[in-house]
Amino acid sequence: MAERVSSITDLPLDILVLVFPYLDAKSFLSFCSTCKAFQQDSIRLDPAYWSHATRSTFRVPNQPIVQHDGVRWQKLYRRLLTQSRVFTWGSNTYNRLGHSSQRDVPAGPVRLPRHLPRRRFAHSSSCSFPTEMDNTRDLGVIADMQCGGWSTTLLASKGLLYTVGVLDGMQVLHNHSADNGPQLLRFPAAYPYSTGPAAYEEPTIAIRQFSSGRCHILGLSDSGRIWSWYAVHKPALHVKFLNIDVNDSSSTPSYEPSTYGRIRKVVAGWSRSSAFVNGTGIVVWDPVQRDAHQNDDEVDTMLVLDAVEVPRTGYQRAKGASRESPEERVLGEEVGVVLNYIMLEHFVIFVTDIGKIFCAKFGDKNRVEEILELQALRNALDSPSDVQGSFRRFAVFKNGEVIIGDQDYLEACWNARMRNPEQTDIDGLKYIPALQQNNVISIAFGDYHFIALHSTGKITSYGTELQACGALGLGGDGDPEGRIRGIRYTGFGHDGKLLPHAYTHGRQVWFEPEKKKFMTFMTSGGKDPDEAKERMRLFVTDPAVQGELSEWFEQEGRSWDDNPAVKEADEDGLGSYFALSISAAGWHSGAVVLVNAKLAAQVQRSYIVKDPDAVDETNNTEDQQPEGTEPIGMFASSLSWLTDLGRWFLGLQTVAEQQQSNLQDVFHPHGLSDFLDPIAYGASPEKGYKYVWADKSFPRLKLSDGQEMPGTVDFDEWKNDIPEWKLDIEV
């Protein structure tokens, strides 16, 4: 007879981990503190426990690529309690960003200073620097967010959904709400939909996972019920199927895998709805709406008669091989178990547990006749991959690689499935250097741009922002600050396209307000704009110089994390801004960010010093500039040179060639006042203080081709080495 177990420490680890999910976080930590044996990382930082605790407590979606990182999940659990914030950027048409007021926008038709050619001030319908959404801190912990075509939707940890903007911008007159704040998505009159514990305790309407399409939203409740919204001010519709068995249980989700008929997830595509039903597979149908003559209170359920099943996607592995039929065994060997899937405009893509990736093209009425393996994307290690994407583009994650593709590539593979089954010599897959082996865990696509989330909590941006709408989130509100991040503005629409240099190491989205001040100061010419004017002219006119200079600024910005004072105050190593999830659609983007306010204040303090040259205005009346006279000093140089440069591009005479009396014809009085203000220039946070960069010059570099930028100041050093540029990237 086996020896009796006399202590819980004698139990093997695989038994203990079955007990852990029944403990809340406080109980689990108390349990681990009972003896040294439970202090080992394999128990105290068990990834299965902390992933489950974080996801079940806060409804945070799973991140497959980091699901085995117990340290990460534990840190997220601690910080989600108090630090969850939502930031958005890009086009704010229909208030899709949730910014009720636009900051730093001149009021009225003012005549603005000509700082640089095509200097563009922020329009009230755009935001180029991440800005926190208004009125979201009272919603509780934000677990997830998703962008739709004209909207942004948030999932609170209590299972409630809130939306800003409109779901269908093509029918804005019918869907627009007068309230600009986050709107609670409602349920039919028969269901409680008030805020607070009532909704959380009702599993039929507490949402645990959701998906935003272009014009509609799908939500999956705790009980496994599908809800669909087509307008913010309309109650949801409960979606049911005529010929598909769905297990709509009233019990909360268990820790064990779902049983047959349970819905694992919902995905709202460009113009389709879908769900993964265990035992059936991927099910697709058209978005549902009430008829125009139907009363909202009369219809709460929509029975879908023509839902389509994607073939060969319903396989589930049996615990014993002997329980499988020959057909199931073949399906398991050829296709495998679907782990994840996405919906594009005309295709569905899914990945399986044997390292294969498949696609299928939709026909009439969403029909799918067959599936096709994407041969070039198969994982040679037979280990699972992941796929993410929307609209017309997708990303495949395998073994640290991130491969970008689009529908043109899928179409080429689909059309060649008979004559070229191996899909040889089919072009269209892109390997962006900045994404390879760089801890990328998520990618979100807009119409012309995309953003990547790294496991370090950093976000990088790629692509194009149409009409300088700010969708890349790199700041600047157009020229010139956007140029310093590597954006080239061209064309009548002033579209901003990221230069090829930016794809070698990427361009991070910055959340620190001080970095925006740093950009403003440098693009104003630094401490001596007159000395820097030839370098700035080269920076504006030569894309290669702009690309290299933008990389220098990128390295400077990233080095802030290495500040000793900041690192010492960073107790958990996540930094002051740690992005938890990202989303993008259309012309805008967003992120759920954990904000350590105490650490962010430390970052701010570390870059501010007292200004010994600060002027006491009460005792310095003799040095005041008389109204209408030419300003002097550093900011006078800024004014003179920047105006000269703007007029030089326009082929006009310079300020030096004009009479002093013409100054008021070039600048609006209020614009002139702001232009000469060190605070507006990013040199000072407030009177009596200055930023540490206030005495720095616009950078002078030795370029990779051996060229030396003009000027008289010393050459600037790179924080890291000059990259080996890979400039053949087209996105």
Side-chain angles (χ1 to χ4, degrees), residues 179-261:
D179 192 336
N180 286 329
Q183 300 295 297
L184 177 66
L185 293 186
R186 300 190 295 123
F187 293 89
Y191 298 85
Y193 55 83
S194 61
T195 58
Y200 181 64
E201 295 170 358
E202 174 50 61
T204 58
I205 62 173
I207 302 300
R208 63 182 170 91
Q209 183 259 323
F210 81 104
S211 177
S212 290
R214 177 175 180 256
C215 303
H216 72 295
I217 294 171
L218 291 178
L220 179 62
S221 74
D222 283 345
S223 69
R225 183 167 297 191
I226 300 176
W227 294 98
S228 182
W229 289 266
Y230 59 93
V232 175
H233 63 285
K234 299 285 187 181
L237 283 167
H238 172 206
V239 177
K240 300 185 72 174
F241 306 111
L242 178 64
N243 298 319
I244 298 174
D245 293 331
V246 173
N247 181 4
D248 181 1
S249 171
S250 61
S251 62
T252 56
S254 67
Y255 185 69
E256 297 297 324
S258 299
T259 58
Y260 179 87

XYZ file of all heavy atoms in Angstrom, residues 179-261:
650
model
N -25.400 62.841 -26.423
C -24.460 62.730 -25.306
C -23.117 62.261 -25.834
O -23.006 61.193 -26.429
C -25.005 61.741 -24.275
C -24.234 61.799 -22.966
O -23.068 62.219 -22.989
O -24.803 61.426 -21.931
N -22.057 63.052 -25.601
C -20.735 62.707 -26.114
C -19.970 61.755 -25.214
O -18.927 61.239 -25.595
C -19.904 63.985 -26.314
C -20.357 64.775 -27.525
O -20.828 64.208 -28.492
N -20.217 66.093 -27.444
N -20.451 61.516 -24.010
C -19.742 60.640 -23.095
C -19.964 59.175 -23.426
O -20.757 58.824 -24.303
N -19.266 58.276 -22.725
C -19.462 56.841 -22.954
C -20.904 56.438 -22.679
O -21.460 56.752 -21.618
C -18.498 56.191 -21.953
C -17.491 57.248 -21.627
C -18.227 58.537 -21.708
N -21.504 55.733 -23.631
C -22.898 55.316 -23.515
C -22.960 53.831 -23.155
O -22.323 52.999 -23.802
C -23.634 55.551 -24.831
C -23.644 57.004 -25.283
C -24.413 57.888 -24.325
O -25.615 57.726 -24.129
N -23.709 58.824 -23.707
N -23.728 53.510 -22.134
C -23.909 52.122 -21.747
C -24.756 51.410 -22.797
O -25.857 51.856 -23.128
C -24.598 52.047 -20.385
C -24.928 50.651 -19.863
C -23.652 49.868 -19.583
C -25.791 50.743 -18.607
N -24.245 50.311 -23.337
C -25.019 49.533 -24.304
C -26.128 48.795 -23.562
O -25.879 48.109 -22.572
C -24.117 48.556 -25.054
C -23.083 49.190 -25.993
C -22.349 48.110 -26.776
C -23.729 50.174 -26.949
N -27.341 48.920 -24.099
C -28.526 48.446 -23.381
C -28.962 47.067 -23.863
O -28.560 46.587 -24.916
C -29.672 49.438 -23.556
C -29.357 50.824 -23.033
C -30.592 51.697 -23.008
N -31.108 51.958 -24.353
C -32.341 51.682 -24.758
N -33.192 51.077 -23.943
N -32.728 51.981 -25.973
N -29.818 46.471 -23.048
C -30.448 45.198 -23.365
C -31.952 45.415 -23.482
O -32.476 46.449 -23.065
C -30.126 44.165 -22.286
C -28.663 43.784 -22.240
C -27.770 44.497 -21.464
C -28.189 42.731 -22.995
C -26.424 44.165 -21.430
C -26.846 42.387 -22.979
C -25.969 43.099 -22.198
N -32.676 44.456 -24.036
C -34.132 44.604 -24.148
C -34.782 44.852 -22.792
O -34.215 44.563 -21.734
C -34.571 43.267 -24.749
C -33.379 42.774 -25.491
C -32.199 43.227 -24.690
N -36.012 45.358 -22.823
C -36.695 45.793 -21.601
C -36.883 44.667 -20.594
O -36.980 44.901 -19.388
C -38.050 46.395 -21.962
N -36.903 43.435 -21.064
C -37.120 42.315 -20.151
C -35.901 42.006 -19.299
O -35.980 41.223 -18.359
C -37.512 41.070 -20.947
N -34.766 42.620 -19.616
C -33.523 42.337 -18.896
C -33.072 43.569 -18.119
O -33.230 44.702 -18.587
C -32.412 41.945 -19.869
C -32.696 40.693 -20.645
C -33.443 40.741 -21.816
C -32.217 39.461 -20.211
C -33.711 39.587 -22.541
C -32.472 38.304 -20.928
C -33.218 38.373 -22.091
O -33.481 37.235 -22.798
N -32.487 43.375 -16.937
C -31.933 44.538 -16.224
C -30.698 45.036 -16.945
O -29.884 44.251 -17.396
C -31.575 43.961 -14.850
C -31.337 42.499 -15.108
C -32.291 42.123 -16.206
N -30.567 46.331 -17.084
C -29.383 46.862 -17.747
C -28.827 48.076 -17.024
O -28.120 48.886 -17.598
C -29.673 47.208 -19.207
C -30.830 48.152 -19.438
C -30.659 49.531 -19.337
C -32.080 47.675 -19.761
C -31.706 50.396 -19.550
C -33.136 48.528 -19.985
C -32.958 49.890 -19.878
O -34.008 50.741 -20.103
N -29.154 48.215 -15.741
C -28.591 49.321 -14.977
C -27.144 49.012 -14.639
O -26.705 47.869 -14.668
C -29.397 49.537 -13.691
O -29.339 48.369 -12.890
N -26.418 50.059 -14.304
C -25.027 49.854 -13.904
C -24.980 49.257 -12.510
O -25.978 49.220 -11.798
C -24.268 51.194 -13.903
O -24.932 52.086 -13.001
C -24.245 51.795 -15.285
N -23.824 48.801 -12.109
C -23.653 48.270 -10.776
C -23.754 46.752 -10.717
O -23.770 46.071 -11.738
N -23.864 46.205 -9.504
C -23.799 44.752 -9.307
C -24.925 43.989 -9.988
O -24.772 42.815 -10.284
C -23.896 44.610 -7.781
C -23.463 45.930 -7.241
C -23.916 46.942 -8.241
N -26.086 44.631 -10.232
C -27.222 43.903 -10.804
C -26.850 43.232 -12.114
O -27.166 42.068 -12.349
C -28.394 44.852 -11.005
N -26.164 43.984 -12.989
C -25.779 43.416 -14.277
C -24.712 42.350 -14.100
O -24.736 41.305 -14.766
C -25.283 44.514 -15.206
N -23.775 42.593 -13.183
C -22.677 41.652 -12.983
C -23.181 40.311 -12.480
O -22.646 39.266 -12.811
C -21.684 42.260 -11.990
C -20.480 41.399 -11.698
C -19.573 41.088 -12.708
C -20.249 40.894 -10.430
C -18.464 40.306 -12.451
C -19.144 40.109 -10.159
C -18.248 39.818 -11.173
O -17.158 39.044 -10.921
N -24.239 40.338 -11.675
C -24.762 39.117 -11.086
C -25.727 38.388 -12.009
O -26.212 37.316 -11.664
C -25.443 39.449 -9.754
C -24.463 39.969 -8.699
C -25.160 40.526 -7.480
O -26.414 40.537 -7.477
O -24.466 40.944 -6.540
N -26.040 38.951 -13.144
C -26.937 38.319 -14.090
C -26.128 37.761 -15.250
O -25.716 38.498 -16.150
C -27.982 39.332 -14.597
C -28.893 38.820 -15.689
C -29.514 37.478 -15.340
O -30.248 37.415 -14.327
O -29.246 36.502 -16.061
N -25.833 36.455 -15.250
C -24.907 35.889 -16.256
C -25.405 35.966 -17.692
O -24.612 35.867 -18.611
C -24.749 34.434 -15.797
C -25.947 34.140 -14.963
C -26.300 35.436 -14.291
N -26.708 36.175 -17.894
C -27.189 36.241 -19.276
C -26.820 37.548 -19.957
O -26.819 37.628 -21.193
C -28.724 36.072 -19.326
O -29.338 37.090 -18.536
C -29.128 34.701 -18.833
N -26.483 38.588 -19.174
C -26.145 39.873 -19.788
C -24.785 40.414 -19.343
O -24.349 41.458 -19.843
C -27.224 40.943 -19.499
C -27.333 41.205 -17.993
C -28.556 40.537 -20.094
C -28.242 42.359 -17.655
N -24.105 39.764 -18.428
C -22.747 40.176 -18.058
C -21.794 39.710 -19.158
O -21.608 38.514 -19.364
C -22.355 39.572 -16.719
N -21.213 40.652 -19.874
C -20.394 40.325 -21.048
C -18.980 39.942 -20.610
O -18.325 40.679 -19.870
C -20.333 41.521 -22.021
C -21.752 41.911 -22.454
C -19.480 41.181 -23.236
C -22.518 40.813 -23.162
N -18.517 38.790 -21.082
C -17.160 38.368 -20.756
C -16.206 38.515 -21.929
O -14.998 38.526 -21.754
C -17.139 36.927 -20.254
C -17.598 35.862 -21.232
C -17.549 34.492 -20.553
N -18.170 33.433 -21.322
C -17.525 32.672 -22.199
N -16.249 32.882 -22.436
N -18.157 31.710 -22.842
N -16.716 38.624 -23.152
C -15.867 38.826 -24.333
C -16.705 39.508 -25.407
O -17.895 39.232 -25.545
C -15.339 37.487 -24.849
C -14.381 37.581 -26.028
C -15.067 37.275 -27.373
O -15.949 36.408 -27.457
N -14.676 37.971 -28.428
N -16.094 40.435 -26.136
C -16.844 41.130 -27.178
C -15.956 41.422 -28.369
O -14.720 41.290 -28.307
C -17.467 42.421 -26.640
C -16.514 43.591 -26.588
C -16.588 44.604 -27.537
C -15.548 43.683 -25.595
C -15.716 45.681 -27.495
C -14.676 44.762 -25.543
C -14.761 45.764 -26.500
N -16.573 41.847 -29.470
C -15.834 42.154 -30.697
C -16.561 43.261 -31.443
O -17.779 43.226 -31.587
C -15.743 40.900 -31.574
O -15.099 41.178 -32.803
N -15.794 44.249 -31.901
C -16.343 45.355 -32.683
C -16.074 45.131 -34.158
O -14.914 44.939 -34.551
C -15.721 46.694 -32.254
O -16.156 47.067 -30.984
N -17.110 45.157 -34.959
C -16.962 45.136 -36.398
C -16.975 46.550 -36.933
O -16.880 47.517 -36.185
N -17.125 46.661 -38.229
C -17.161 47.999 -38.815
C -18.407 48.753 -38.363
O -18.331 49.934 -38.011
C -17.150 47.889 -40.345
C -17.251 49.211 -41.093
C -17.104 48.999 -42.584
N -17.194 50.231 -43.340
C -18.253 50.613 -44.053
N -19.332 49.843 -44.070
N -18.242 51.740 -44.723
N -19.555 48.074 -38.342
C -20.820 48.752 -38.062
C -21.628 48.092 -36.944
O -22.767 48.495 -36.717
C -21.696 48.806 -39.321
S -20.958 49.599 -40.744
N -21.104 47.065 -36.308
C -21.882 46.403 -35.265
C -20.958 45.820 -34.209
O -19.747 45.717 -34.406
C -22.784 45.320 -35.860
C -22.060 44.107 -36.342
N -21.165 44.125 -37.397
C -22.088 42.810 -35.905
C -20.694 42.906 -37.603
N -21.215 42.099 -36.711
N -21.544 45.427 -33.090
C -20.804 44.869 -31.963
C -21.447 43.552 -31.561
O -22.678 43.442 -31.489
C -20.796 45.843 -30.767
C -20.022 47.114 -31.112
C -20.191 45.190 -29.529
C -20.149 48.198 -30.066
N -20.612 42.557 -31.309
C -21.067 41.285 -30.768
C -20.547 41.127 -29.347
O -19.389 41.453 -29.071
C -20.574 40.111 -31.614
C -21.161 39.942 -33.020
C -20.508 38.756 -33.712
C -22.671 39.767 -32.962
N -21.399 40.634 -28.456
C -20.990 40.366 -27.087
C -21.355 38.945 -26.696
O -22.407 38.433 -27.090
N -20.479 38.304 -25.923
C -20.722 36.955 -25.415
C -20.852 37.040 -23.903
O -19.941 37.494 -23.216
C -19.572 36.031 -25.812
C -19.653 34.580 -25.345
C -20.872 33.888 -25.946
C -18.379 33.833 -25.714
N -21.982 36.614 -23.372
C -22.238 36.741 -21.941
C -21.658 35.569 -21.165
O -21.221 34.561 -21.736
C -23.750 36.830 -21.686
O -24.351 35.556 -21.858
N -21.685 35.687 -19.843
C -21.174 34.627 -18.978
C -21.913 33.314 -19.196
O -21.343 32.230 -19.042
C -21.288 35.039 -17.513
C -20.214 36.014 -17.093
O -19.220 36.161 -17.849
O -20.350 36.651 -16.031
N -23.167 33.404 -19.541
C -23.955 32.186 -19.733
C -23.764 31.576 -21.114
O -24.296 30.505 -21.383
C -25.440 32.489 -19.505
O -25.946 33.316 -20.541
N -23.014 32.263 -21.992
C -22.815 31.757 -23.341
C -23.811 32.295 -24.341
O -23.978 31.735 -25.430
N -24.487 33.366 -24.022
C -25.488 33.953 -24.914
C -24.838 35.008 -25.806
O -23.997 35.787 -25.354
C -26.610 34.572 -24.085
C -27.761 35.157 -24.883
C -28.957 35.458 -24.009
N -29.500 34.225 -23.412
C -30.674 34.167 -22.764
N -31.400 35.263 -22.612
N -31.084 33.030 -22.262
N -25.229 35.046 -27.077
C -24.713 36.030 -28.033
C -25.661 37.216 -28.101
O -26.880 37.059 -28.309
C -24.560 35.422 -29.434
C -23.595 34.238 -29.415
C -24.069 36.473 -30.424
C -23.480 33.527 -30.745
N -25.102 38.414 -27.943
C -25.857 39.662 -28.088
C -25.240 40.471 -29.225
O -24.031 40.471 -29.414
C -25.815 40.475 -26.798
C -26.511 39.820 -25.646
C -25.954 39.091 -24.640
C -27.927 39.834 -25.382
N -26.911 38.646 -23.761
C -28.138 39.089 -24.195
C -29.018 40.403 -26.031
C -29.405 38.898 -23.646
C -30.294 40.216 -25.481
C -30.474 39.478 -24.307
N -26.103 41.174 -29.959
C -25.646 41.966 -31.105
C -26.264 43.355 -31.053
O -27.484 43.499 -30.851
C -26.041 41.266 -32.413
O -25.584 41.986 -33.530
N -25.401 44.383 -31.219
C -25.843 45.774 -31.253
C -25.562 46.370 -32.636
O -24.484 46.152 -33.204
C -25.103 46.621 -30.223
C -25.475 46.355 -28.808
C -26.401 47.013 -28.061
C -24.901 45.375 -27.925
N -26.445 46.505 -26.779
C -25.528 45.491 -26.671
C -23.911 44.404 -28.082
C -25.214 44.684 -25.587
C -23.588 43.582 -27.013
C -24.233 43.729 -25.784
N -26.474 47.137 -33.171
C -26.288 47.816 -34.442
C -26.424 49.325 -34.311
O -26.210 50.065 -35.275
C -27.278 47.291 -35.489
C -28.742 47.450 -35.109
C -29.466 48.579 -35.510
C -29.387 46.478 -34.367
C -30.798 48.719 -35.162
C -30.721 46.605 -34.028
C -31.426 47.731 -34.416
O -32.747 47.872 -34.068
N -26.777 49.823 -33.132
C -26.851 51.259 -32.854
C -26.654 51.455 -31.360
O -27.107 50.639 -30.547
C -28.194 51.844 -33.293
N -25.980 52.546 -30.989
C -25.665 52.783 -29.584
C -26.928 52.960 -28.757
O -27.025 52.478 -27.623
C -24.747 54.021 -29.443
C -24.513 54.368 -27.980
C -23.426 53.777 -30.149
N -27.937 53.636 -29.316
C -29.133 53.945 -28.542
C -30.219 52.874 -28.660
O -31.310 53.035 -28.116
C -29.695 55.290 -28.998
C -30.148 55.312 -30.420
N -29.271 55.362 -31.469
C -31.389 55.269 -30.964
C -29.938 55.363 -32.609
N -31.226 55.301 -32.329
N -29.937 51.762 -29.352
C -30.903 50.677 -29.494
C -30.509 49.509 -28.595
O -29.325 49.180 -28.459
C -30.955 50.190 -30.940
C -31.380 51.253 -31.957
C -32.862 51.514 -31.878
C -33.296 52.441 -33.020
N -34.748 52.723 -32.952
N -31.488 48.826 -27.985
C -31.140 47.653 -27.167
C -30.633 46.505 -28.020
O -30.919 46.422 -29.216
C -32.460 47.307 -26.477
C -33.522 47.886 -27.355
C -32.925 49.125 -27.960
N -29.875 45.623 -27.395
C -29.270 44.503 -28.107
C -30.315 43.497 -28.560
O -31.454 43.476 -28.077
C -28.243 43.819 -27.215
N -29.898 42.644 -29.472
C -30.699 41.503 -29.902
C -30.001 40.218 -29.485
O -28.788 40.071 -29.692
C -30.873 41.518 -31.421
C -31.895 42.507 -31.987
C -31.727 42.631 -33.490
C -33.316 42.079 -31.635
N -30.749 39.315 -28.905
C -30.222 37.997 -28.561
C -30.234 37.147 -29.835
O -31.281 36.945 -30.443
C -31.096 37.364 -27.475
C -30.759 35.941 -27.185
N -31.679 35.042 -26.675
C -29.607 35.239 -27.342
C -31.113 33.859 -26.536
N -29.854 33.959 -26.935
N -29.071 36.640 -30.227
C -28.936 35.882 -31.468
C -29.068 34.389 -31.170
O -28.351 33.839 -30.325
C -27.576 36.157 -32.150
C -27.413 35.298 -33.401
C -27.464 37.641 -32.505
N -29.989 33.743 -31.874
C -30.162 32.297 -31.769
C -30.123 31.696 -33.172
O -30.394 32.384 -34.160
C -31.493 31.952 -31.081
C -31.622 32.497 -29.663
C -32.892 32.042 -28.978
C -32.838 30.577 -28.617
N -34.020 30.156 -27.822
N -29.775 30.404 -33.234
C -29.674 29.725 -34.526
C -30.739 28.650 -34.644
O -31.086 27.975 -33.667
C -28.285 29.091 -34.682
C -27.152 30.046 -34.470
C -26.327 29.935 -33.356
C -26.910 31.076 -35.366
C -25.281 30.814 -33.144
C -25.868 31.966 -35.168
C -25.054 31.839 -34.054
N -31.214 28.480 -35.874
C -32.261 27.495 -36.110
C -31.715 26.072 -36.089
O -32.311 25.174 -35.476
C -32.941 27.774 -37.460
C -34.045 26.790 -37.864
C -35.206 26.858 -36.877
C -34.529 27.097 -39.277
N -30.576 25.840 -36.732
C -30.085 24.477 -36.926
C -28.750 24.191 -36.247
O -28.064 23.239 -36.604
C -29.956 24.191 -38.433
C -31.285 24.264 -39.145
O -32.294 23.795 -38.638
N -31.285 24.892 -40.317
N -28.352 25.023 -35.302
C -27.071 24.821 -34.606
C -27.322 24.761 -33.110
O -27.948 25.655 -32.533
C -26.077 25.950 -34.943
C -25.772 25.948 -36.446
C -24.790 25.802 -34.135
C -24.920 27.094 -36.903
N -26.844 23.691 -32.499
C -27.027 23.513 -31.062
C -26.058 24.399 -30.294
O -24.837 24.331 -30.495
C -26.804 22.047 -30.674
C -27.875 21.137 -31.245
O -29.007 21.612 -31.431
O -27.567 19.956 -31.506
N -26.609 25.229 -29.407
C -25.800 26.108 -28.565
C -26.177 25.869 -27.110
O -27.361 25.873 -26.757
C -26.018 27.590 -28.933
C -25.314 28.503 -27.939
C -25.516 27.864 -30.338
N -25.195 25.639 -26.294
C -25.407 25.410 -24.864
C -25.376 26.746 -24.144
O -24.319 27.250 -23.787
C -24.331 24.470 -24.326
C -24.503 24.182 -22.844
O -25.462 24.624 -22.220
N -23.561 23.452 -22.282
N -26.526 27.334 -23.937
C -26.644 28.619 -23.249
C -26.922 28.347 -21.783
O -28.051 28.292 -21.335
C -27.771 29.435 -23.885
C -27.931 30.799 -23.240
O -27.148 31.116 -22.321
O -28.829 31.542 -23.647
N -25.852 28.160 -21.016
C -25.987 27.816 -19.607
C -26.091 29.078 -18.777
O -25.509 30.113 -19.085
C -24.786 26.983 -19.156
O -24.794 26.820 -17.761
N -26.832 28.999 -17.690
C -26.941 30.158 -16.794
C -25.819 30.196 -15.770
O -25.720 31.132 -14.985
C -28.295 30.111 -16.058
O -28.377 28.927 -15.283
N -24.964 29.181 -15.775
C -23.851 29.152 -14.822
C -22.698 29.983 -15.338
O -22.551 30.189 -16.539
C -23.382 27.709 -14.587
O -22.918 27.161 -15.793
N -21.872 30.479 -14.441
C -20.704 31.258 -14.836
C -19.666 30.348 -15.457
O -19.659 29.148 -15.208
C -20.110 31.987 -13.628
O -19.805 31.016 -12.631
C -21.096 33.003 -13.072
N -18.752 30.905 -16.250
C -17.737 30.063 -16.900
C -16.902 29.310 -15.871
O -16.519 29.848 -14.840
C -16.883 31.073 -17.669
C -17.748 32.275 -17.805
C -18.612 32.303 -16.599
N -16.600 28.063 -16.151
C -15.774 27.269 -15.258
C -14.318 27.340 -15.678
O -13.999 27.808 -16.762
C -16.254 25.807 -15.271
O -16.006 25.245 -16.548
N -13.448 26.848 -14.820
C -12.025 26.830 -15.142
C -11.716 25.745 -16.160
O -10.733 25.812 -16.872
C -11.226 26.620 -13.854
C -9.742 26.697 -14.026
C -9.128 27.921 -14.330
C -8.933 25.580 -13.892
C -7.753 28.006 -14.478
C -7.563 25.654 -14.042
C -6.981 26.872 -14.335
O -5.619 26.954 -14.483
N -12.572 24.721 -16.208
C -12.356 23.628 -17.143
C -12.751 24.058 -18.551
O -13.558 24.971 -18.733
C -13.189 22.408 -16.724
C -12.794 21.845 -15.367
C -11.361 21.335 -15.371
O -10.932 20.783 -16.403
O -10.665 21.523 -14.365
N -12.211 23.407 -19.593
C -12.587 23.730 -20.963
C -14.089 23.579 -21.178
O -14.741 22.757 -20.540
C -11.795 22.711 -21.795
C -10.645 22.318 -20.918
C -11.167 22.375 -19.516
N -14.630 24.394 -22.102
C -16.051 24.384 -22.368
C -16.487 23.042 -22.934
O -15.727 22.343 -23.601
C -16.401 25.508 -23.347
O -16.080 26.755 -22.798
N -17.720 22.665 -22.683
C -18.280 21.427 -23.190
C -18.892 21.653 -24.562
O -18.946 22.770 -25.069
C -19.344 20.897 -22.220
O -20.368 21.889 -22.063
C -18.730 20.590 -20.859
N -19.391 20.572 -25.153
C -19.981 20.637 -26.487
C -21.119 21.666 -26.511
O -21.976 21.701 -25.634
C -20.523 19.264 -26.892
C -21.168 19.251 -28.257
C -20.408 19.037 -29.398
C -22.537 19.467 -28.394
C -20.989 19.040 -30.654
C -23.128 19.473 -29.640
C -22.354 19.256 -30.773
O -22.935 19.273 -32.009
N -21.131 22.461 -27.564
C -22.198 23.439 -27.736
C -21.942 24.776 -27.071
O -22.693 25.725 -27.287
